[in-house]
Amino acid sequence: MEFTNYKNFWNHKALDALSAMSAVDGSTDEDTLRLTGRFSARQAREALGLGRTDRSFEIGCGVGRIGRELLDDVAHWSGLDISENMLGVARDRLGDDPRVSLHALHGPRLEMLADASMDKGYCVAVFIHMDKEDFALYLREVARVLRPGGLFYFDHWNLAHPVGWRRYEMEMAQALATPPGERKDVARNQFTVPEEARVFCERAGLEVVECLGESAWLQVVARKPGGGSSLAAEQARVAASRPAWTYGPAWTHYFDLIVAAEREGRAPHDLADELVAADGNDLVVSMFRRWIIGNWRRRESWGPVPEALARDPGALDAR
Ligand SMILES: C[S@@+](CC[C@H](N)C(=O)[O-])C[C@H]1O[C@@H](n2cnc3c(N)ncnc32)[C@H](O)[C@@H]1O
């Protein structure tokens, strides 16, 4: 099926709660989604230094995977998404919480948020699915809606990291298999490099507090100039909290094993063995275990889920 715009693509991905969940991050059940949500929420919380008085927003909130886990950390959370169907699932998951507002987007404009009305915002796994012009336009809107000194955290695929490049080669293979003249998928994965992301921030009127490129994900904390705090103070804060918001070597290694298995068209038995041997009380390990078990069950060509993996999916309250 060919999709002409982001909205119809993502509405189609979110025809029901399970497919919406799977489209946001490959989770196949609510428990896995809660675990991955906690992981991503910790990253956003630590990168932004979220606090109980913060008015916050998320661009491309999907089913509220991250927002749900952040509600107790902020005063208010606005979830914005191009897909009304995603927002419908988010509404069901978040309930009628007075700290939440959900808004449908119709393009790279945040007209529902007033100038300088927000303390902090973030965007995870969304800019990777759009053309660069839209990325730039969203950043310009971020600069408009943040108060002076306000912060924004986002990620993007990082072409400059070897694992990011290997992930990009999957896109190249897909492009090679596309019949000549056929339009590329409107929401396909797109990539950047640290220098380009810096230019996009600066041209939008944002200062780069930190731009981390140590994994397949580029992670950026940007700041609207002005306000009470200084750029140097924010840089010191994010440097101190860095271990809590970077992807880290274990995450990057497990992800690399998944990419290798996908590229070679085989089941990730090597990843399964490593996860079985690793500490199931660790959040990254437990998250990957549950994620891979769910996906293994869906992939007939992978054969049965390895018994040792299925027997011990890892702790739900992993730290
Ligand atoms: C991969 S999901 C990530 C969802 C969420 N950020 C998370 O991490 O769970 C991408 C989300 O971005 C939304 N999206 C895609 N293109 C968008 C656009 N141009 N503007 C706003 N949202 C968009 C999709 O509807 C989807 O909910």
Side-chain angles (χ1 to χ4, degrees), residues 245-265:
W245 61 278
T246 55
Y247 275 89
W251 191 98
T252 304
H253 173 62
Y254 296 150
F255 180 71
D256 198 18
L257 293 180
I258 292 175
V259 171
E262 288 290 0
R263 287 169 48 133
E264 291 158 25

Side-chain angles (χ1 to χ4, degrees), residues 6-7 9-11 13-14 20-26 33 36-37 40 58-67 80-84 86-87 105-110 122-131 134-135 138 155 187 217:
Y6 306 130
K7 195 180 272 294
F9 177 94
W10 289 99
N11 272 333
K13 288 278 175 197
M21 187 184 290
S22 169
V24 296
D25 79 337
L33 192 77
T36 69
S40 303
E58 175 173 357
I59 299 176
C61 65
V63 301
R65 181 180 73 89
I66 304 172
L80 319 169
D81 202 284
I82 200 86
S83 160
E84 290 84 359
M86 285 284 181
L87 291 170
L105 297 168
H106 304 287
R109 291 174 305 278
L110 308 179
Y122 61 93
C123 182
V124 171
V126 177
F127 291 149
I128 59 171
H129 290 297
M130 66 182 71
D131 295 333
D134 297 311
F135 173 37
Y138 270 126
D155 61 17
W217 288 106

Side-chain angles (χ1 to χ4, degrees), residues 67 71 75-79 90-91 94-102:
L71 287 187
H76 192 86
W77 177 81
S78 293
R91 200 166 287 116
L94 296 167
D96 231 357
D97 195 305
R99 296 167 297 181
V100 173
S101 319
L102 295 169

